[in-house]
Amino acid sequence: MTSGMRIVSLLPSTTEIVCALGLEDALVGITHECDYPASIGAKPRLTASRISHETMTSKEIDHAVRSQLADLDGHGSIYDLDEAKLRELNPDLILTQELCDVCAVSYKTVQQAARMFEASVRVVSLEPNTIAEIFENIRLVGRLTDRENRADQLITGLQARLDRVRERAEQIARRPRTLMLEWLEPPFAPGHWVPEQVEIAGGDHAFGKAGQRSVTTTAEEIRAYAPEVIVLIPCGYYKEDILRQLPSARLPEGWKDLPAVRSGQVWALDATSYFSRPGPRVVDGVEILARILHPEIFGPPEESQAVRAP
C-alpha cells in the first residue's frame, strides 16, 4: 500500500472489504450504516439517512424511498453526504457505487464533492451483480491499495468455502422451493447474487433472477411457486428488525396457506450481514442457508444465525 494512503468508504460492503484486506488503519471515513467489524465504531461518519427504519413500517419506508428518489426529476436521494467533513478528511481514494440509489449516497453527489479537492482524489465505483463480481471487487480494491496478494488469499479462502457447500449440496436428490423475500410490503423477489446463494446451498432458486435487479412480486406469483421454505431478508434489516416489522406488515394474500408457513419453515435472517451487502460475508449467508435447507447434512442453524418467524 502507498505509504499514508487515506481511504473513504461510502458503502458498508467496501468497508468490510477494506478491513478484510488489513487496511483498517487507512480507513479515515465511513457511512452511518457501517457496523462491521465492530472495531470501526469510532471512525468519522460521512452520511446520514432521511428515512428511519426504526420508526417506519415496511410499507411506509417503501413509499418514502420512492417519493424521495422521484424528486428533482429522478435525481433525488435518501442520503445526505457531509461534504465539509469529506474535504477535511482529504482522502486519496473514495469507494462508492452507482448500482442502487437505495443502497448508498448517489454517485453523482460523490463526484461533485470530489471535484472540490485541490489535490486529485480517485473515486472508484464498485457495482457487483454476482458472487464472481463481488470477488472481482475484492481483487480490485487489492490492486488499488497494493494488497493484491492479500486479496487473492482472501478470495481463495472464500471460494474454498463455497466449493465445500456446493459439493455436499450436489448429492441432494431434492431441492426445496425456496422463497427469499427482499422486502415485506410490497414483497420483492430476489436478484443479484441471492439466487446464486440459494443454488449453492442446495435450494431451488427459480423464484428470482441471478445477476439482475430485485423486483416486486405478487401474491399470485408466490402462491403459484408454493414455497416450501421462506427466508425473510428485507434489505438493510437485522433479524430483530424483521420480527418487529412482521406484526404490522400486510403479507401477501394467501400467506397462511403457503406450504412453508403451514410447516413452520419461515425464517428471519440478518439480511444486512449476509445478503444485502456484496462483501465477504455473502459466503456466511450461503453456509447459513445450507443449514436451514438441509439440517440433516449441514446441521441446524444457530439461533444467532437464523430464527423461525412466528
Side-chain angles (χ1 to χ4, degrees), residues 19-219:
C19 293
L21 295 178
L23 296 167
E24 187 173 331
D25 289 343
L27 194 61
V28 297
I30 57 177
T31 79
H32 66 287
E33 293 181 317
C34 294
D35 56 9
Y36 187 88
S39 53
I40 63 168
K43 301 280 185 182
R45 310 275 169 163
L46 295 170
T47 64
S49 176
R50 301 173 185 175
I51 295 173
S52 173
H53 280 74
E54 290 77 16
T55 60
M56 300 169 71
T57 66
S58 182
K59 184 177 182 179
E60 288 170 342
I61 292 170
D62 179 75
H63 176 73
V65 167
R66 293 177 190 271
S67 299
Q68 289 279 4
L69 295 182
D71 287 347
L72 304 177
D73 298 323
H75 296 292
S77 176
I78 62 173
Y79 299 103
D80 293 315
L81 175 66
D82 190 334
E83 296 182 11
K85 186 178 291 185
L86 179 63
R87 289 195 297 273
E88 180 183 322
L89 292 173
N90 193 30
D92 306 296
L93 175 65
I94 300 175
L95 299 173
T96 185
Q97 59 91 49
E98 297 175 79
L99 184 67
C100 176
D101 289 331
V102 181
C103 298
V105 65
S106 77
Y107 183 68
K108 183 178 180 180
T109 299
V110 178
Q111 279 190 315
Q112 289 175 338
R115 292 194 191 106
M116 290 183 276
F117 287 90
E118 294 182 7
S120 61
V121 54
R122 187 166 189 179
V123 179
V124 177
S125 176
L126 304 179
E127 300 177 32
N129 287 288
T130 65
I131 292 176
E133 290 175 3
I134 293 173
F135 290 175
E136 280 304 311
N137 279 180
I138 294 173
R139 188 169 282 114
L140 173 59
V141 175
R143 286 200 300 270
L144 294 171
T145 58
D146 292 338
R147 289 294 177 101
E148 291 178 271
N149 289 340
R150 183 74 172 260
D152 287 341
Q153 292 170 3
L154 175 59
I155 294 166
T156 298
L158 294 171
Q159 186 62 60
R161 288 167 58 192
L162 287 180
D163 291 343
R164 283 195 292 271
V165 175
R166 188 190 293 276
E167 288 168 6
R168 297 178 72 182
E170 284 177 349
Q171 312 303 316
I172 297 165
R174 186 178 177 282
R175 292 170 173 258
R177 295 186 300 277
T178 305
L179 171 61
M180 308 289 289
L181 273 187
E182 292 199 13
W183 200 248
L184 300 179
E185 193 179 0
F188 265 70
H192 303 303
W193 47 85
V194 173
E196 288 183 276
Q197 291 177 290
V198 174
E199 186 271 330
I200 295 170
D204 175 85
H205 62 292
F207 203 93
K209 296 183 178 180
Q212 299 185 30
R213 287 179 177 270
S214 307
V215 296
T216 54
T217 185
T218 65

Side-chain angles (χ1 to χ4, degrees), residues 56-62 66 179-189 215-219 222 230-253 255 266-269 271 309:
M56 300 169 71
T57 66
S58 182
K59 184 177 182 179
E60 288 170 342
I61 292 170
D62 179 75
R66 293 177 190 271
L179 171 61
M180 308 289 289
L181 273 187
E182 292 199 13
W183 200 248
L184 300 179
E185 193 179 0
F188 265 70
V215 296
T216 54
T217 185
T218 65
I222 292 174
I230 297 175
V231 182
L232 306 177
I233 52 167
C235 184
Y237 277 23
Y238 289 97
K239 297 189 300 294
E240 296 77 14
D241 301 317
I242 298 169
L243 297 177
R244 185 180 68 249
Q245 289 276 6
L246 273 178
S248 62
R250 185 178 179 182
L251 297 170
E253 185 179 351
W255 178 266
V266 181
W267 297 81
L269 274 67

Side-chain angles (χ1 to χ4, degrees), residues 273-304:
S273 301
Y274 309 119
F275 300 96
S276 305
R277 297 178 181 177
R281 289 192 293 167
V282 296
V283 175
D284 296 62
V286 171
E287 294 169 339
I288 295 169
L289 275 180
R291 288 174 172 266
I292 289 173
L293 297 174
H294 300 287
E296 74 284 358
I297 297 175
F298 297 97
E302 298 176 7
E303 190 171 340
S304 62

